[in-house]
Amino acid sequence: MPHRRHVAEPSAHGKITPPGVILTILALGFLGWGVWYAKTALSRNTPPGNHARQANERLALTHLKRIQSAQGAFRKQHPRGEYARFVPHLWQWVDSRGTPVRLDLIPRRLAMAMGATTAVDGYYFVDIHSRTIAGQSAAHAIDYAHQWAIAALPAHFGRTGRIVLLADQTGCLYATAPPRPPTHYPKNPAANGWIIVKTPDDLNVLKNRD
């Protein structure tokens, strides 16, 4: 039986494309698709970069400012002139008869951001019920007739943010970049290494925290 020699088909322009060139083009196409697929799959599990993390930190500052304003409004509405003990009360409070009262001083999603699973923009908010004083081992309970304090913590420390923020009745906002989430909060943050934050750009002081 005579040997049949393979002859490449003519292209649309009438020129013959060698089989080796076709195989090379196909191989490169599969390689490019494989690289794209691998990058897409990895990106799903890649932690946010510095830019995304710093954006979260700035948004957390904005949210904390809103909570700070809401605390002032809450105190004016409270029958005994007290601050809210819990962040959700700034959205919906329960009166002395146990009746829910919608205040809407902050959005519901912000009020419910009490843990990592319900975080807003990479942060959640913690009610602080006691604070420490330098040189004293015992923490001092907050008197909500005169004080309040709330901290903003990254949902995934180091991934969604590294800065910890704090607001209180003084009207100040404080920030620190600790190696791990804090377990207590000082009554005088500025005297304990926290910076006072007036604008989002003030957070740049902590940018070399990695």
Side-chain angles (χ1 to χ4, degrees), residues 129-150:
H129 300 294
S130 63
R131 299 174 76 174
T132 57
I133 297 177
Q136 299 183 16
S137 58
H140 293 256
I142 287 179
D143 176 5
Y144 285 92
H146 307 286
Q147 306 163 342
W148 66 272
I150 292 172

Side-chain angles (χ1 to χ4, degrees), residues 50-65:
N50 288 341
H51 180 75
R53 190 170 61 200
Q54 290 172 12
N56 287 343
E57 292 163 352
R58 286 171 172 253
L59 286 170
L61 180 63
T62 299
H63 295 320
L64 203 54
K65 285 181 177 179

Side-chain angles (χ1 to χ4, degrees), residues 131-134 166 168 174 185-194 196:
R131 299 174 76 174
T132 57
I133 297 177
L166 184 147
D168 60 18
Y174 305 93
Y185 297 88
K187 189 172 184 179
N188 188 347
N192 286 267
W194 295 60
I196 296 176

Side-chain angles (χ1 to χ4, degrees), residues 80-108:
R80 295 185 302 277
E82 295 182 359
Y83 293 110
R85 286 173 163 77
F86 304 99
V87 175
H89 288 175
L90 298 172
W91 169 66
Q92 180 171 280
W93 185 57
V94 179
D95 65 18
S96 58
R97 294 169 296 187
T99 304
V101 179
R102 282 284 295 274
L103 300 179
D104 289 320
L105 298 175
I106 60 174
R108 184 181 185 277

Side-chain angles (χ1 to χ4, degrees), residues 64-85:
L64 203 54
K65 285 181 177 179
R66 187 166 189 175
I67 290 173
Q68 194 171 53
S69 297
Q71 278 284 25
F74 181 92
R75 192 185 192 193
K76 291 178 181 178
Q77 298 182 36
H78 194 278
R80 295 185 302 277
E82 295 182 359
Y83 293 110
R85 286 173 163 77

